[in-house]
Amino acid sequence: MLVSSISEVMVKMENSELMQQIFIRNDERERLFYPCLVISFCMSVLLVFVWVESSNEYNGFDWVIFIGTGLWFFWSIVLLSFLGILAAYTSLLLVLGFLLLWEGIELYLHWCHKILILLVIVICSFFFWILFTYWKDRWLTVGLSLQVFAPYIHLSSIAMMVILSWPLAFYLIHLEGEARIRRYQMTCNERKRNKRCNVLTKLRALQVAIGLPFFLILLCLYLLPLGNFSACVQEKNKLAPKPYFFGHRGAPMLGPENTIMSFEKAVEHGAYGLESDVHISYDHVPFLMHDSDLRRTTNIKEVLPNASLTHPSLFDWDFLSTLNAGKWFSHAPIKPFFGMKPLSEADRERAGNQKIPKLTELLELAQKEKKFVIFDLYGPAPNHSLRALYVHHVVSTILDSQIEQRLIFWLPGFEREYVKKKAPGFQQVSRLHSVERLTKENITRINVDYKNLFYNGMREYRAANISINLYLVNEPWLFSLAWCSRIPSVTTDNIQVLNEMTQPSYFMTPKYYLFVWILMDILSAIFIVAIFYFHWWKESKKEKLLKSTSIHTESLSTSLRTRESKNQGPSCISIDPVSRVTEIPWTHAALSPALTKNVRKYPDSNRVSVVPMKKASKSEPVSKTIKTPVPGKDDIRHLVPTLKASESIQAPVRESAREATFQSSSAMKANGTFSSIDVSHPQKQTERPPNTKSSEESLPVFTTSSPSSSS
């Protein structure tokens, strides 16, 4: 019967170990998605940040998509929304996972979430490939934004570290408390045996691995301003004058681009110069148009649908002058700029009647208002009659308009020597070239993309007295950076907003930044120390409570053992004090006291074995199972006191075990058939599978042995 019960227990233990291995494998598979979730979160948030900082390029992005699809829409906002949804999804999933792990619950993701996480990583990887392959200059935009927002990101990062210190302090102090409790439980022999590699060493290593990076990052943040550079942190008396504005195709947020209305709106808002684009008609009339076809800014689809993709230089001016160049702006359901203010009724009516203007009309307006003119000159189609002489023709047209030559900023780089000779009064403007080349060509103005401001603020050109005009600057933060970097002029679509700025955004003096920096460091250090102290105090209070409970239990066990030894004299029953309190107060081990040091690993925590003494002169003992006699009330002896929590749970089972133990020991002591009793220690038993229920859980089994001769 005993052999069969042991075999059943062994089979159950093997099954439980097999199930445990399956669970462990599943846990390992689930944990593979933890880093995937973190990676998807980081990639999606970084993409959102890059695209938000690229808001200055939204209109250009929409125009590129229009060239490929022929449909005008706010594709930039669609992409921003899509990336924002990805970032919000991964952020929410990461926060929920963190809260579950905080409560000690394993994170088991549904297969839908697993697929979506992998899909987010693939999508983000695709966009990053595009950024690194075709839009490398977008990273320069991110770098410029960091130059502006660096002080604010620095202060926000310190505040974030204070928030993160709460869970970090809780975890580190918890590990420290667990290490102390384990050290308190260990005996001297266990400490010597596990001196090289034990649980305490692992806990210390985990504390260092988590806490050291946190404090290193915090220290770097405290010292970051010593090496931080931001153009917007400077003294007020050193701030350069406000940059001048060149209206990009006029004021395209107030009127249809490259129309007289748009240029007049730019003049009304204080434009320093007017920027435009010039094409030449088939009959040699220079006119203003940006695109390489007429689809976007005219009604060519209504008038001549088959010719909507034809190059503008292949149309006569008589036909071009009949096209409407304003209804796409005033009556279209989708405006050219996202967030553009609605037009008044008068402006809407005026915009709806705009036509394609000639270059001479722009020159007349510039001469009247004394505004500078800068333009890009596009060559005609290959079969155009002025394909090789269009520069000469445009120069002659400008000179014939009687405009002051100093008001012309000549930007085209081809045939510059002819232009210098024909119109020496034109101000020569170059693209971005080396300082040596510009000096050699006697050019003192350059027109460059704003992203080049990333390279040391273009100080080399400013030191050589070369005037810089940046294009295309629409966002206030970017204009503020240009202002603080001493840029003389910018080309913008958003002249009505930038013109109202009286000082750079995000501007601060070094003394103010120093004050905020020191104050933030002191306050954050105080808060972090207070948070760590609070968690340490809470953990030490819990540890004191556990130790006091352990001391009380040991003293009570010792007093009971002394009293019983006085009443009964020497006994062969071994009663040991309760072991020290376990690591966690809510484990089963804390509810079951230790009865003896001689422990046998039975799966049932209520089985007691009585083992006979072996005699060298006699043969192997024979085991038999003795049924537990029903004890009387007078024979009951309480061996070991238990905790209050365990008395209510295990009282009936232990009372029967105690009565049976001392009834049997009293009956057999005179015969000398056994010498000691081994009681299974609850802390050292293997955990019984929860589905095994038998009578062994309620009835103790005693095993006695005797020599073969006496049997």
Side-chain angles (χ1 to χ4, degrees):
M1 181 177 180
L2 180 61
V3 174
S4 62
S5 63
I6 292 176
S7 62
E8 290 178 1
V9 171
M10 294 298 293
V11 170
K12 292 176 182 178
M13 290 178 64
E14 290 177 357
N15 293 336
S16 65
E17 289 178 358
L18 181 60
M19 293 298 296
Q20 264 186 353
Q21 292 178 359
I22 295 174
F23 289 147
I24 290 173
R25 291 175 182 174
N26 292 335
D27 288 342
E28 291 177 353
R29 293 174 184 173
E30 291 293 332
R31 288 170 185 169
L32 289 177
F33 284 92
Y34 293 178
C36 292
L37 178 58
V38 175
I39 291 172
S40 64
F41 167 76
C42 296
M43 294 178 70
S44 59
V45 170
L46 181 58
L47 268 181
V48 170
F49 175 75
V50 171
W51 194 239
V52 167
E53 296 305 320
S54 301
S55 59
N56 193 78
E57 303 287 341
Y58 283 177
N59 187 260
F61 178 80
D62 296 338
W63 177 76
V64 171
I65 300 298
F66 172 80
I67 295 300
T69 62
L71 178 63
W72 180 263
F73 195 71
F74 298 129
W75 302 109
S76 55
I77 304 301
V78 173
L79 181 58
L80 178 63
S81 303
F82 176 70
L83 296 178
I85 291 173
L86 295 184
Y89 168 72
T90 54
S91 302
L92 182 60
L93 206 59
L94 187 66
V95 170
L96 291 177
F98 175 78
L99 294 177
L100 288 175
L101 294 177
W102 178 269
E103 294 296 330
I105 303 174
E106 291 289 337
L107 178 61
Y108 291 97
L109 295 172
H110 194 267
W111 63 269
C112 293
H113 292 300
K114 296 177 182 178
I115 294 176
L116 287 176
I117 288 174
L118 296 178
L119 189 61
V120 168
I121 294 177
V122 172
I123 293 173
C124 293
S125 301
F126 172 73
F127 280 109
F128 276 119
W129 174 76
I130 293 178
L131 285 175
F132 282 107
T133 306
Y134 300 104
W135 289 346
K136 293 181 180 179
D137 53 357
R138 292 295 179 271
W139 298 109
L140 300 180
T141 304
V142 175
L144 291 175
S145 68
L146 292 177
Q147 290 184 17
V148 176
F149 300 112
Y152 301 90
I153 294 176
H154 165 238
L155 299 177
S156 302
S157 300
I158 293 178
M160 184 61 65
M161 296 297 287
V162 174
I163 297 175
L164 291 177
S165 66
W166 181 273
L168 184 74
F170 171 82
Y171 192 66
L172 291 179
I173 299 300
H174 176 72
L175 291 178
E176 179 66 22
E178 186 174 353
R180 290 183 180 180
I181 292 175
R182 288 180 181 273
R183 191 185 303 110
Y184 180 74
Q185 290 176 334
M186 284 184 178
T187 61
C188 296
N189 294 331
E190 289 176 343
R191 291 179 186 176
K192 292 179 180 179
R193 185 169 59 253
N194 301 329
K195 187 175 181 180
R196 292 185 178 179
C197 182
N198 55 13
V199 179
L200 299 180
T201 305
K202 295 179 180 179
L203 291 176
R204 292 297 183 191
L206 187 59
Q207 282 180 301
V208 173
I210 296 176
L212 186 60
F214 174 82
F215 288 105
L216 288 178
I217 294 174
L218 186 63
L219 181 62
C220 292
L221 289 176
Y222 283 164
L223 302 178
L224 183 63
L226 297 178
N228 183 26
F229 170 76
S230 177
C232 292
V233 179
Q234 57 178 290
E235 298 292 345
K236 287 185 177 181
N237 55 2
K238 295 182 179 180
L239 185 63
K242 186 177 180 179
Y244 298 113
F245 299 109
F246 278 88
H248 185 239
R249 306 170 198 169
M253 293 187 180
L254 304 176
E257 67 177 54
N258 281 326
T259 61
I260 296 301
M261 177 185 175
S262 179
F263 292 117
E264 289 177 349
K265 289 289 185 181
V267 172
E268 291 176 8
H269 287 82
Y272 175 74
L274 304 174
E275 189 272 345
S276 185
D277 310 278
V278 177
H279 284 274
I280 300 176
S281 67
Y282 196 74
D283 53 352
H284 307 170
V285 177
F287 65 95
L288 307 182
M289 179 64 60
H290 175 266
D291 294 0
S292 59
D293 57 61
L294 303 174
R295 290 178 299 167
R296 184 174 64 91
T297 57
T298 67
N299 61 340
I300 185 67
K301 287 186 176 181
E302 300 175 3
V303 178
L304 201 62
N306 295 332
S308 60
L309 297 178
T310 305
H311 196 274
S313 64
L314 298 179
F315 294 98
D316 290 333
W317 174 247
D318 293 337
F319 173 77
L320 293 172
S321 62
T322 62
L323 296 176
N324 185 287
K327 284 186 177 180
W328 70 275
F329 179 86
S330 60
H331 294 79
I334 301 176
K335 302 301 180 182
F337 292 90
F338 182 78
M340 189 180 72
K341 293 182 179 180
L343 299 175
S344 63
E345 287 297 328
D347 288 342
R348 185 180 182 187
E349 183 179 357
R350 183 185 177 190
N353 296 324
Q354 293 297 304
K355 301 292 183 177
I356 300 175
K358 296 179 181 180
L359 174 60
T360 54
E361 296 180 51
L362 174 61
L363 297 177
E364 290 175 4
L365 178 62
Q367 177 64 33
K368 178 183 176 181
E369 300 293 341
K370 301 300 179 184
K371 301 299 181 182
F372 295 94
V373 176
I374 184 172
F375 56 85
D376 288 312
L377 181 58
Y378 295 97
N383 54 349
H384 197 280
S385 59
L386 289 179
R387 175 68 176 177
L389 301 173
Y390 68 96
V391 174
H392 298 201
H393 183 72
V394 171
V395 171
S396 300
T397 303
I398 295 173
L399 295 177
D400 293 341
S401 68
Q402 300 299 318
I403 188 175
E404 298 179 37
Q405 292 189 18
R406 68 176 184 87
L407 296 179
I408 301 298
F409 283 5
W410 185 262
L411 182 60
F414 29 85
E415 299 194 41
R416 191 177 293 274
E417 293 300 324
Y418 168 81
V419 176
K420 287 182 179 180
K421 183 179 179 180
K422 187 71 173 178
F426 289 0
Q427 298 191 47
Q428 298 296 322
V429 181
S430 175
R431 303 291 183 180
L432 184 63
H433 298 295
S434 63
V435 176
E436 293 77 10
R437 178 178 174 180
L438 296 175
T439 305
K440 182 179 179 180
E441 296 180 0
N442 195 22
I443 295 177
T444 59
R445 291 181 180 273
I446 57 175
N447 187 53
V448 298
D449 191 349
Y450 74 91
K451 302 178 190 67
N452 293 286
L453 193 63
F454 177 80
Y455 300 108
N456 204 19
M458 305 191 71
R459 297 177 184 175
E460 182 182 0
Y461 294 89
R462 290 189 281 112
N465 293 324
I466 296 176
S467 181
I468 303 170
N469 181 72
L470 294 181
Y471 70 90
L472 181 67
V473 178
N474 291 332
E475 293 297 318
W477 70 265
L478 189 55
F479 177 71
S480 300
L481 179 61
W483 189 347
C484 296
S485 301
R486 301 176 176 272
I487 300 299
S489 62
V490 297
T491 301
T492 179
D493 292 324
N494 201 13
I495 188 173
Q496 71 279 2
V497 173
L498 302 184
N499 189 48
E500 296 178 356
M501 296 177 59
T502 57
Q503 69 173 10
S505 302
Y506 314 104
F507 177 81
M508 65 175 68
T509 61
K511 291 183 180 180
Y512 177 76
Y513 181 42
L514 180 64
F515 169 75
V516 176
W517 165 37
I518 296 176
L519 180 63
M520 195 71 178
D521 287 357
I522 294 174
L523 291 178
S524 63
I526 292 174
F527 274 108
I528 291 174
V529 171
I531 289 171
F532 272 84
Y533 178 78
F534 171 77
H535 286 292
W536 175 81
W537 171 79
K538 191 175 180 181
E539 189 70 23
S540 62
K541 189 176 180 181
K542 185 190 299 184
E543 185 179 351
K544 289 180 181 179
L545 179 62
L546 293 176
K547 287 184 178 180
S548 62
T549 306
S550 175
I551 294 173
H552 175 72
T553 306
E554 289 182 358
S555 61
L556 187 60
S557 175
T558 305
S559 62
L560 286 175
R561 184 174 59 182
T562 305
R563 186 176 61 185
E564 289 175 356
S565 62
K566 289 181 180 179
N567 293 337
Q568 282 194 341
S571 176
C572 59
I573 300 176
S574 175
I575 303 174
D576 290 320
V578 181
S579 63
R580 290 172 177 170
V581 180
T582 56
E583 313 95 11
I584 305 174
W586 52 83
T587 57
H588 293 295
L591 303 177
S592 302
L595 299 179
T596 181
K597 293 182 180 178
N598 300 323
V599 178
R600 291 193 177 183
K601 297 182 179 179
Y602 284 101
D604 195 345
S605 60
N606 296 324
R607 176 171 295 183
V608 182
S609 298
V610 181
V611 183
M613 294 181 61
K614 293 184 178 181
K615 296 183 181 181
S617 59
K618 295 186 178 182
S619 62
E620 193 69 16
V622 179
S623 300
K624 66 179 179 178
T625 303
I626 301 176
K627 294 184 179 179
T628 307
V630 180
K633 294 183 178 180
D634 298 333
D635 297 331
I636 298 175
R637 292 190 303 170
H638 298 282
L639 294 178
V640 181
T642 60
L643 298 174
K644 292 182 179 181
S646 62
E647 288 177 358
S648 60
I649 299 174
Q650 300 177 350
V653 178
R654 283 201 304 274
E655 286 299 327
S656 61
R658 290 169 183 166
E659 292 174 4
T661 301
F662 290 105
Q663 184 74 17
S664 302
S665 62
S666 300
M668 293 186 291
K669 183 178 180 182
N671 298 329
T673 57
F674 66 93
S675 61
S676 63
I677 296 178
D678 289 349
V679 184
S680 60
H681 198 290
Q683 294 181 359
K684 298 183 179 180
Q685 290 182 14
T686 57
E687 186 177 352
R688 186 177 183 126
N691 57 352
T692 56
K693 293 182 180 180
S694 63
S695 61
E696 294 174 356
E697 295 183 358
S698 57
L699 293 178
V701 179
F702 295 85
T703 304
T704 62
S705 62
S706 59
S708 58
S709 59
S710 61
S711 63

